[in-house]
Amino acid sequence: MYQVPRGTRDFTPDEMQKRRYLEHAMAATFTSFGYGEIQTPTFENLELFTVKSGESIINELYTFTDKGGRALALRPELTAPVIRCYIERLQMEPKPLKLFYFGNCYRYDRPQKGRYREFQQAGCELIGTNTCEATAELLALAYTIVKNTGLKNIRLNIGNLTIISAIFKKLHLLKDDQKILLPLIDKSQFDELHIALGDCNVSEEMIDAFLDVLQTSDISRIRSYIADDITATAELTTMETILYLLKNAFHISEFEIKLSIVRGLDYYKGIVFEIDAPILGAEKQLCGGGSYDLVPLFGGSDVPTSGFAIGFDRTILALEEEGFLFPTIKLDVFIIPVNQDMNATCIEIAQELRSHGISADFDLLQRGMGKSLKYADAKHAEKVIIVGPKELEKKMIVLRDMKTGNQELVSVTGISTKLKKI
Ligand code: AMP
């Protein structure tokens, strides 16, 4: 028997219903913030991903050579493709550009709950502005989208890579050291970080102060720690303005400053943020984003860019864990013939209802009334129409309400109008 490839999934109609529900909810929030949808190809030239992250990224990618000998990769994320598209087609558009997307991503990860080899991301890129208002709006959008899905318990954590870079400079840490330290900071593995900083010849006193600043959300403590660095101090002041706007203009106060949010120094700069759903345990990160530099690297003229990506699959998992009741697929009407001579009339009624935008299905298995009613119930039919010869002689049919079980005789001709009003 064949099975789905490792790390991929099939989605049944019930699961697709949840996914479509979530897509609609997210798209509605993106558009309410003035974003327009964009779609890019599932595969790109491999170089689009290696130019930023180096050849080592290939281990995490699905790569292939096509019949023309081109090196291609299934996209692992959508920021690089969207920026490529921006440079190719949208550079002359009025700024700022607000683009959102949904798309499958492919990573050669070790599959586990919440971590797949094929998964969907919802995300956005904001191109052409990095004012405090713009960054505050981006943070507000990320928070609002996740909140609007119906999730109750989420955490928005905000870090800053310009400040982290300044601290690295202060501690005389080399680029190679940073590569070892960043993943430890990102995973909040502070004991391991302590040892690694010692290995980098950082004094005990400096290590303690650094670990303290990574774990505090108190801005004044951060400020006094970085007081001797003008760039970092200015960045902290900007960050304070952004957070002030987030709280007092966007009225979002459920966030925390966490300098241990680092995400990746070769890509992001300035503000970075993550949204977690603690209910998910190990793979709890729902969303990650920040400001980044990619346009000049891809050959475009420099503009500020920022964005975020939400793990669509994890959002559904988190909603399920929280017991969220997704809307079920409902059928407006199921039509049952009393005998097979009524089949043609059932079809005509179904077609008439469908042409009026009412979803209708009829018994295709020619089974008895009891089984048909059970089937109608399993399909969450709101109404059932029963077509029998005696009633049909008088141009009437039986309309049954599946919730109450009440039945009434109604005229065949007015059925669409009647059901539309309900
Ligand atoms: P990233 O592009 O790595 O910043 O990921 C953005 C979001 O995508 C994460 O916060 C996750 O929610 C989701 N995500 C990343 N990798 C996977 C994966 N392998 N399976 C499912 N979701 C993922």
Side-chain angles (χ1 to χ4, degrees):
M1 205 175 69
Y2 296 114
Q3 290 179 333
V4 286
R6 188 165 145 77
T8 69
R9 292 149 301 152
D10 298 313
F11 299 110
T12 62
D14 282 346
E15 288 160 345
M16 279 313 294
Q17 170 78 0
K18 293 182 182 179
R19 296 176 78 81
R20 291 289 182 233
Y21 160 80
L22 197 59
E23 265 177 18
H24 279 127
M26 288 183 170
T29 312
F30 276 126
T31 36
S32 77
F33 276 68
Y35 278 71
E37 189 166 3
I38 185 168
Q39 199 171 56
T40 61
T42 308
F43 58 85
E44 295 275 349
N45 290 311
L46 173 62
E47 207 188 336
L48 189 75
F49 305 111
T50 53
V51 70
K52 161 179 68 90
S53 314
E55 296 290 316
S56 60
I57 186 93
I58 292 178
N59 294 330
E60 295 162 40
L61 297 182
Y62 279 87
T63 59
F64 60 101
T65 309
D66 75 2
K67 293 188 176 72
R70 298 169 196 92
L72 301 167
L74 297 181
R75 61 184 175 206
E77 49 95 24
L78 276 106
T79 298
V82 170
I83 294 302
R84 178 207 39 75
C85 168
Y86 160 73
I87 295 166
E88 261 189 274
R89 301 205 29 207
L90 301 170
Q91 282 202 92
M92 304 316 277
E93 294 285 310
K95 303 275 183 325
L97 264 169
K98 291 177 147 185
L99 307 170
F100 80 94
Y101 57 78
F102 293 97
N104 277 0
C105 299
Y106 303 84
R107 294 185 192 174
Y108 200 75
D109 254 332
R110 191 161 351 114
Q112 53 183 289
K113 189 181 170 202
R115 183 167 288 279
Y116 312 101
R117 289 184 169 174
E118 181 188 54
F119 60 97
Q120 189 174 333
Q121 280 190 347
C124 68
E125 312 303 335
L126 174 63
I127 304 170
T129 176
N130 60 359
T131 60
C132 291
E133 288 75 13
T135 308
E137 191 191 55
L138 189 77
L139 287 161
L141 172 59
Y143 181 85
T144 309
I145 285 192
V146 179
K147 216 50 209 181
N148 282 356
T149 63
L151 264 180
K152 292 202 172 68
N153 188 9
I154 58 170
R155 305 261 155 82
L156 168 59
N157 294 315
I158 305 169
N160 193 300
L161 284 180
T162 306
I163 296 173
I164 290 290
S165 295
I167 297 174
F168 280 164
K169 208 168 81 190
K170 176 181 165 133
L171 300 180
H172 304 293
L173 292 166
L174 307 172
K175 270 247 155 1
D176 284 348
D177 298 333
Q178 295 176 18
K179 276 207 181 110
I180 299 165
L181 300 172
L182 277 170
L184 299 177
I185 299 175
D186 196 37
K187 293 192 191 99
S188 296
Q189 293 175 331
F190 297 119
D191 291 341
E192 290 84 344
L193 181 64
H194 196 130
I195 297 166
L197 283 164
D199 293 344
C200 297
N201 297 321
V202 180
S203 72
E204 275 300 306
E205 197 190 333
M206 300 268 258
I207 294 176
D208 287 341
F210 181 36
L211 291 182
D212 177 58
V213 100
L214 281 179
Q215 293 172 80
T216 186
S217 52
D218 180 349
I219 286 212
S220 56
R221 271 185 34 210
I222 300 172
R223 187 175 289 286
S224 64
Y225 182 74
I226 55 163
D228 49 358
D229 189 299
I230 305 166
T231 316
T233 303
E235 182 69 20
L236 188 64
T237 305
T238 306
M239 187 156 152
E240 267 186 300
T241 310
I242 292 165
L243 300 183
Y244 177 85
L245 286 167
L246 188 60
K247 203 168 176 173
N248 298 292
F250 290 98
H251 299 298
I252 291 169
S253 48
E254 292 174 282
F255 62 83
E256 232 173 274
I257 295 172
K258 227 183 186 184
L259 286 186
S260 59
I261 302 291
V262 286
R263 302 195 57 73
L265 268 187
D266 49 343
Y267 189 70
Y268 287 100
K269 54 170 198 171
I271 284 231
V272 281
F273 59 92
E274 288 177 359
I275 298 176
D276 290 343
I279 203 162
L280 288 180
E283 300 300 327
K284 66 178 189 298
Q285 193 197 310
L286 285 187
C287 169
S291 8
Y292 58 88
D293 261 340
L294 214 50
V295 176
L297 184 69
F298 287 180
S301 15
D302 203 3
V303 277
T305 42
S306 52
F308 61 80
I310 300 174
F312 191 83
D313 310 82
R314 285 187 198 172
T315 312
I316 291 187
L317 281 177
L319 282 165
E320 285 172 343
E321 297 273 340
E322 282 194 358
F324 181 80
L325 290 175
F326 286 88
T328 42
I329 308 176
K330 285 218 163 66
L331 181 70
D332 292 328
V333 188
F334 189 75
I335 307 161
I336 307 172
V338 164
N339 63 44
Q340 289 185 29
D341 296 339
M342 302 293 109
N343 284 352
T345 309
C346 287
I347 294 170
E348 278 168 3
I349 295 171
Q351 288 294 84
E352 154 80 9
L353 293 173
R354 289 165 180 167
S355 73
H356 283 85
I358 298 162
S359 59
D361 200 358
F362 57 91
D363 180 30
L364 289 170
L365 274 182
Q366 299 170 356
R367 56 195 149 186
M369 184 61 60
K371 279 192 176 157
S372 285
L373 279 172
K374 243 190 197 160
Y375 182 73
D377 200 38
K379 290 201 84 175
H380 306 292
E382 307 231 332
K383 306 269 177 205
V384 158
I385 287 175
I386 300 163
V387 184
K390 259 195 270 159
E391 292 82 7
L392 203 58
E393 251 173 43
K394 293 178 220 142
K395 299 211 177 328
M396 302 292 267
I397 46 181
V398 174
L399 182 65
R400 180 188 171 97
D401 186 304
M402 289 298 278
K403 221 185 263 155
T404 60
N406 291 343
Q407 296 196 167
E408 56 178 323
L409 260 183
V410 297
S411 132
V412 185
T413 41
I415 190 69
S416 302
T417 331
K418 181 170 174 72
L419 287 172
K420 250 187 159 174
K421 271 195 220 133
I422 291 169

